[in-house]
Amino acid sequence: MYDISDSDILPLSLEHTFWTWSAQAKVDPIPVARAQGVYFWDVDGKRYLDLNSMVMCVNIGHGDQRVIDAIIEQARQLPFAGPPMATKPRAALGKLLTEITPGDLDRFLFTLGGADANENAIKLARAYTGRQKILARYRSYHGATAGAMAVTGDPRRVSWEPNVMPGVVHFLDPYRYRSTFHRTNPDISETDFCHDYLNHLEEIILYEGPETIAAILIETVTGTNGVIIPPDGYLQGVRDLCDRYGILLIADEVMSGFGRTGKWFAVEHWNVVPDLMTMAKGLTSGYAPLGAVAMRPKIAEFFDQRTYVGGLTYNSHPISLAAAIANIQVMQADHLVEKAAAMGPVLHRMLVDLGEQHPSVGEVRSIGLFGIIELVRDRRTKEPMAPWNGTSPEMNAFRKYLLDHGVFLYTHWHTALIIPPLIISQEQLADGFAVLDEALAITDKAVEA
Ligand SMILES: Cc1ncc(COP(=O)(O)O)c(C=O)c1O
């Protein structure tokens, strides 16, 4: 296709292309040649088990011919039509998403990815409510465009301050393992724990002035910042606070959507319907770039006679929409949401077993095929294996061991995330855990005796 040999891929990519999230001289990319199922291969034929679904997005697995064929067919029929046009994939995907999204979410704005889905959700909420402030959580990532970066709570925002979108107030996540409020009473009941975090949120709402707050934006299950699974009652409580104060609830399901947690969308675990819901990643399983904002009828109707001021050249791109339709059909035909739900306890058991065998495992958490291992130097003090926003020789060696032994996963500071394609089998997961088991010998050595 191109006059580039396998051995040229790495040097030419390094010489002429610029890498996101990286110091250019320090990148060490894997030259990927092909991918199939839960594996990808580099140009030397080395196989990697993909425990991160590439970028937490290849939910249906790599190389599914049904999605590839749909993309080819769409490219033949109509590779591009601008956002003002009505197209067949646009009509079909809107209908399909109405069927699989919860409650009365039935209108969809198609974006290029997750960050601009959140940008649009913020704009929609501000216009609809006539209010400006957005409340979001510290342990969150919502994307790297200006507004999405401002709502992001983690240090990826801090790097760009003070020049980020104004009007964002952050609050704390219900993160039980390191709960600020419960250092002296860690055994507090789930109900009281939940109330403490809802009270914290309500206090902030009152201090900020409810009449100034357009929306509360949260990752339903926090992703890169810790796979934080909200306690029962929390999401319902946030919904109630929103209703009480006329605030919109925006659920960011970019990572937690499309079967990742064992439901189509994580909000379904708690029977909560957000006013706006953002999605991307698993929407096309990465086969083409696409995000979306789902909205309830009241929000769509608000714009019946008012212009929505916003849009990009590639909104509703036909090839991406076709990829999404085929991807959802694959998920339905192969029962991948049900499969993820069934594999959830299997992954959880493997995580718990691993934790029991390794003193450097502080805690494991998972929901569906969305898991995390927190590595610590001391289980009692919970001192993390790498500092907040940092790394450590042990974490680097741990990651290197996994890669050397053909397991690809995402490490974030002192954590390792387990986010495999939803098609993974028990045997394939066990293969990955066997390597993890060996790699943890490295971090175990750092545990103070
Ligand atoms: C929860 C969440 N929201 C938003 C985004 C941003 O999505 P994108 O990278 O497609 O812009 C991400 C990406 O990792 C994410 O995990």
Side-chain angles (χ1 to χ4, degrees):
M1 204 191 313
Y2 315 98
D3 189 17
I4 299 236
S5 68
D6 280 356
S7 58
D8 283 339
I9 292 176
L10 195 52
L12 282 176
S13 300
L14 287 170
E15 195 176 341
H16 297 295
T17 73
F18 196 85
W19 306 83
T20 51
W21 301 112
S22 305
Q24 302 303 300
K26 293 187 186 167
V27 295
D28 186 19
I30 300 171
V32 186
R34 66 192 179 91
Q36 189 64 47
V38 295
Y39 302 108
F40 63 85
W41 287 262
D42 71 12
V43 291
D44 298 322
K46 178 173 171 181
R47 192 185 79 173
Y48 292 85
L49 174 65
D50 185 359
L51 290 188
N52 195 45
S53 302
M54 200 50 91
V55 194
M56 300 95 169
C57 59
V58 187
N59 289 16
I60 63 164
H62 296 277
D64 194 301
Q65 198 58 43
R66 293 164 289 185
V67 181
I68 295 168
D69 288 344
I71 290 172
I72 293 170
E73 184 51 32
Q74 186 60 47
R76 278 210 188 94
Q77 274 184 23
L78 181 68
F80 180 63
M85 306 290 166
T87 63
K88 200 191 252 188
R90 183 170 179 150
L93 185 58
K95 183 165 177 292
L96 198 49
L97 285 173
T98 301
E99 285 160 16
I100 63 166
T101 48
D104 56 353
L105 292 165
D106 70 351
R107 202 70 91 83
F108 302 88
L109 187 170
F110 297 120
T111 67
L112 278 49
D116 60 327
N118 285 324
E119 298 280 350
N120 280 289
I122 292 167
K123 277 188 186 157
L124 288 162
R126 284 178 165 169
Y128 177 80
T129 59
R131 303 170 176 183
Q132 289 304 310
K133 280 182 198 159
I134 307 292
L135 265 50
R137 294 191 302 207
Y138 277 106
R139 285 184 171 268
S140 72
Y141 177 71
H142 296 293
T145 52
M149 193 60 107
V151 281
T152 289
D154 79 20
R156 285 172 274 194
R157 161 180 50 87
V158 178
S159 312
W160 292 101
E161 286 183 329
N163 301 310
V164 296
M165 177 185 79
V168 181
V169 177
H170 287 97
F171 60 102
L172 293 169
D173 318 67
Y175 177 28
R176 187 150 189 148
Y177 184 60
R178 297 181 188 278
S179 176
T180 300
F181 303 143
H182 307 102
R183 292 200 197 284
T184 54
N185 57 338
D187 298 326
I188 185 170
S189 74
E190 173 135 323
T191 311
D192 289 345
F193 173 79
C194 180
H195 281 154
D196 284 346
Y197 276 92
L198 290 171
N199 290 341
H200 158 71
L201 173 57
E202 184 164 19
E203 204 172 337
I204 288 176
I205 292 172
L206 293 172
Y207 289 153
E208 292 294 333
E211 69 290 349
T212 70
I213 302 168
I216 297 176
L217 165 58
I218 55 176
E219 287 177 77
T220 312
V221 173
T222 303
T224 43
N225 279 281
V227 186
I228 300 168
I229 304 151
D232 280 342
Y234 179 81
L235 216 62
Q236 296 94 324
V238 176
R239 176 72 270 179
D240 290 347
L241 287 172
C242 286
D243 292 342
R244 191 173 320 147
Y245 295 111
I247 297 167
L248 296 183
L249 176 59
I250 308 174
D252 177 341
E253 294 256 0
V254 170
M255 199 181 289
S256 59
F258 292 92
R260 176 54 57 202
T261 67
K263 301 268 189 197
W264 276 101
F265 297 95
V267 288
E268 293 168 50
H269 286 283
W270 299 281
N271 292 319
V272 163
V273 181
D275 300 296
L276 294 152
M277 189 168 83
T278 57
M279 55 190 95
K281 295 191 186 280
L283 172 58
T284 61
S285 287
Y287 284 66
L290 187 68
V293 188
M295 64 190 96
R296 300 179 90 162
K298 63 176 181 182
I299 298 172
E301 283 159 16
F302 178 83
F303 293 97
D304 275 349
Q305 303 303 330
R306 294 178 184 85
T307 302
Y308 177 64
V309 183
L312 302 172
T313 302
Y314 297 129
N315 284 142
S316 303
H317 196 292
I319 289 183
S320 298
L321 301 182
I325 295 163
N327 172 65
I328 293 168
Q329 287 171 339
V330 165
M331 292 187 70
Q332 289 173 326
D334 295 357
H335 306 287
L336 294 187
V337 181
E338 295 82 349
K339 198 161 184 290
M343 282 296 283
V346 175
L347 171 62
H348 197 74
R349 184 72 254 160
M350 287 183 188
L351 285 167
V352 170
D353 286 349
L354 202 66
E356 278 166 5
Q357 285 152 33
H358 293 280
S360 59
V361 174
E363 185 171 79
V364 297
R365 293 182 290 279
S366 71
I367 178 168
L369 284 172
F370 202 8
I372 195 163
I373 304 169
E374 280 210 30
L375 296 167
V376 294
R377 291 179 189 277
D378 182 333
R379 277 187 176 165
R380 199 180 44 82
T381 64
K382 301 182 182 172
E383 183 192 345
M385 192 59 69
W388 173 252
N389 198 23
T391 188
S392 65
E394 294 86 358
M395 288 306 296
N396 288 338
F398 170 74
R399 183 176 155 74
K400 183 174 180 321
Y401 186 94
L402 290 164
L403 281 176
D404 286 350
H405 292 79
V407 173
F408 177 74
L409 56 69
Y410 183 65
T411 54
H412 190 68
W413 310 337
H414 70 293
T415 66
L417 287 104
I418 315 289
I419 310 183
L422 308 183
I423 57 166
I424 197 163
S425 70
Q426 200 160 326
E427 293 70 34
Q428 290 163 333
L429 204 50
D431 287 348
F433 269 73
V435 180
L436 264 170
D437 185 35
E438 294 162 14
L440 286 169
I442 297 166
T443 49
D444 284 350
K445 278 204 211 107
V447 174
E448 277 118 53

